[in-house]
Amino acid sequence: MNHKEIEAALDELKRQKKTQLPADVLEALNKLTVVVPAVMPKGTSPEILKKMLTNPGKDRPLPEGVNPHPCIFENQEGESLLPVFTSEAELKKAKNVPNFPLLLNMDFQSCIHFVQRNPKVTGIVLNAYTHNVIMHLNPNAASGNQEKKVTIEQYHYMMRQRFESSVLPKQLFEQKEAFIQKLANEKGECLKALYDEIYDGEIACPYVEEDFEFMFLNLREDFMVCQITMPAKNLAVKMCPSAIFAWNKTQKKIWYYAIVLSGGQNQAHLFEVYENGKNADLGEAPVQGNEISTVLDLIQGANDDTAES
């Protein structure tokens, strides 16, 4: 889902007078760059402020020494909330609201981490002037006994989605052999440590080292493949019962595939995740036990195509 599709889904949510975000919208937000209003802290030097006023309204990197603070809104219930907008156009739909001095482009996960590191902030308000969807991320900061817009189960869903689709493949693509060696040596301990890094808040990671199973196969001196069986706990639609990666030492190339549940009993699709973060749905997943051979056929086919071209 892109920005417009997410905003259309939020429009429908508002029309139905619902406040809980559907799982697919949460998943899409997890991959989104959003807009956050910000201000400069007191004591910022006039020289820096002058730089910030140069070419207003244009995207540009922050000058050295600039440390903007995200704005915090307070609603009628007295909750402190981080305002997050799916686009600048959504922010500009506000009426009789002064312009913010600074707008930050942030990925949605950074917004979640900001709230988690600031216990006085209750959560996020999404498109405050139009959809006004509140996501409570710090339960202890919420006032009263209001229903939380993001449940514990949904939070686990978001973190697992992020881990399987982004965190794990990013480690493989960026660190390559160094991470593979660490994974081979530490196995579940390595993945548990990665999970603990993204569970940076009030809610604890539900997994332990023994929840992960590994099968490493060294097929040639310069080529190996590994299948990781993911935890059965919290496994649901759009999550991975297993992931497979391959490493060609000569080519310095990583391949990453994931079996993703697609709904219904035993229904799943095979996805490939690329180094640029994009992914492709390769169709119905192979039957259990044939995942590695299917992946090897795909890799061999891709190499044959490359050789022919």
Side-chain angles (χ1 to χ4, degrees):
M1 300 175 75
N2 57 31
H3 290 77
K4 290 185 178 180
E5 290 170 333
I6 290 174
E7 287 158 9
L10 293 174
D11 286 337
E12 181 63 18
L13 200 70
K14 184 176 181 180
R15 187 188 69 80
Q16 296 179 6
K17 297 182 179 180
K18 295 181 179 179
T19 56
Q20 186 165 310
L21 288 172
D24 60 336
V25 176
L26 283 172
E27 178 190 355
L29 283 169
N30 192 43
K31 303 174 182 177
L32 198 68
T33 298
V34 294
V35 177
V36 178
V39 294
M40 297 302 297
K42 291 181 180 180
T44 302
S45 72
E47 290 78 11
I48 288 179
L49 292 174
K50 186 176 180 180
K51 279 186 179 180
M52 297 299 296
L53 291 173
T54 304
N55 297 323
K58 292 186 177 181
D59 289 341
R60 59 193 185 281
L62 293 172
E64 186 177 352
V66 170
N67 184 29
H69 291 179
C71 294
I72 300 298
F73 287 4
E74 185 171 306
N75 64 9
Q76 294 179 345
E77 287 74 31
E79 295 174 320
S80 296
L81 301 164
L82 176 69
V84 171
F85 296 87
T86 51
S87 64
E88 192 170 338
E90 282 296 318
L91 186 151
K92 291 182 177 178
K93 290 179 181 180
K95 296 180 179 179
N96 302 319
V97 174
N99 290 331
F100 293 100
L102 185 64
L103 299 178
L104 302 177
N105 292 319
M106 300 173 61
D107 62 80
F108 189 70
Q109 281 299 319
S110 295
C111 297
I112 290 177
H113 292 164
F114 173 84
V115 173
Q116 290 172 341
R117 293 188 179 101
N118 291 271
K120 293 183 179 180
V121 180
T122 303
I124 288 172
V125 56
L126 189 61
N127 290 345
Y129 303 127
T130 50
H131 304 111
N132 196 38
V133 175
I134 297 176
M135 301 171 62
H136 290 98
L137 299 176
N138 284 333
N140 292 337
S143 61
N145 295 316
Q146 298 169 331
E147 180 183 356
K148 296 175 179 59
K149 301 303 185 291
V150 176
T151 65
I152 299 295
E153 290 75 14
Q154 286 175 324
Y155 186 80
H156 288 321
Y157 178 96
M158 292 168 63
M159 294 302 101
R160 180 157 178 166
Q161 273 283 320
R162 181 185 174 204
F163 181 87
E164 294 170 347
S165 66
S166 177
V167 173
L168 179 56
K170 184 177 181 181
Q171 292 290 322
L172 286 163
F173 286 125
E174 290 186 353
Q175 298 187 34
K176 294 184 167 64
E177 189 172 14
F179 181 74
I180 293 171
Q181 190 62 52
K182 181 179 177 67
L183 196 59
N185 292 336
E186 301 178 8
K187 295 186 172 63
E189 180 183 353
C190 176
L191 296 190
K192 174 64 165 61
L194 285 179
Y195 257 114
D196 286 340
E197 288 181 12
I198 63 174
Y199 271 85
D200 188 18
E202 298 286 333
I203 302 172
C205 172
Y207 309 120
V208 296
E209 299 169 13
E210 292 75 17
D211 288 333
F212 304 91
E213 296 180 5
F214 300 82
M215 182 165 61
F216 286 89
L217 297 175
N218 294 306
L219 301 180
R220 293 196 312 260
E221 186 176 347
D222 69 339
F223 185 82
M224 60 80 61
V225 64
C226 173
Q227 181 169 12
I228 306 173
T229 301
M230 299 298 185
K233 190 184 304 179
N234 298 315
L235 183 62
V237 171
K238 296 187 179 179
M239 295 180 190
C240 302
S242 71
I244 304 103
F245 69 86
W247 163 241
N248 186 308
K249 186 173 182 178
T250 302
Q251 298 178 7
K252 303 296 182 187
K253 183 172 176 61
I254 292 280
W255 293 265
Y256 180 86
Y257 296 85
I259 308 297
V260 180
L261 296 182
S262 58
Q265 188 174 10
N266 299 324
Q267 291 182 4
H269 276 215
L270 178 65
F271 280 77
E272 181 174 4
V273 178
Y274 304 107
E275 192 163 359
N276 62 7
K278 295 183 179 180
N279 63 74
D281 186 343
L282 304 181
E284 188 174 346
V287 297
Q288 190 172 2
N290 288 350
E291 297 96 340
I292 289 180
S293 60
T294 299
V295 163
L296 292 175
D297 288 343
L298 290 169
I299 292 173
Q300 181 63 48
N303 284 343
D304 289 346
D305 293 341
T306 302
E308 292 173 4
S309 60

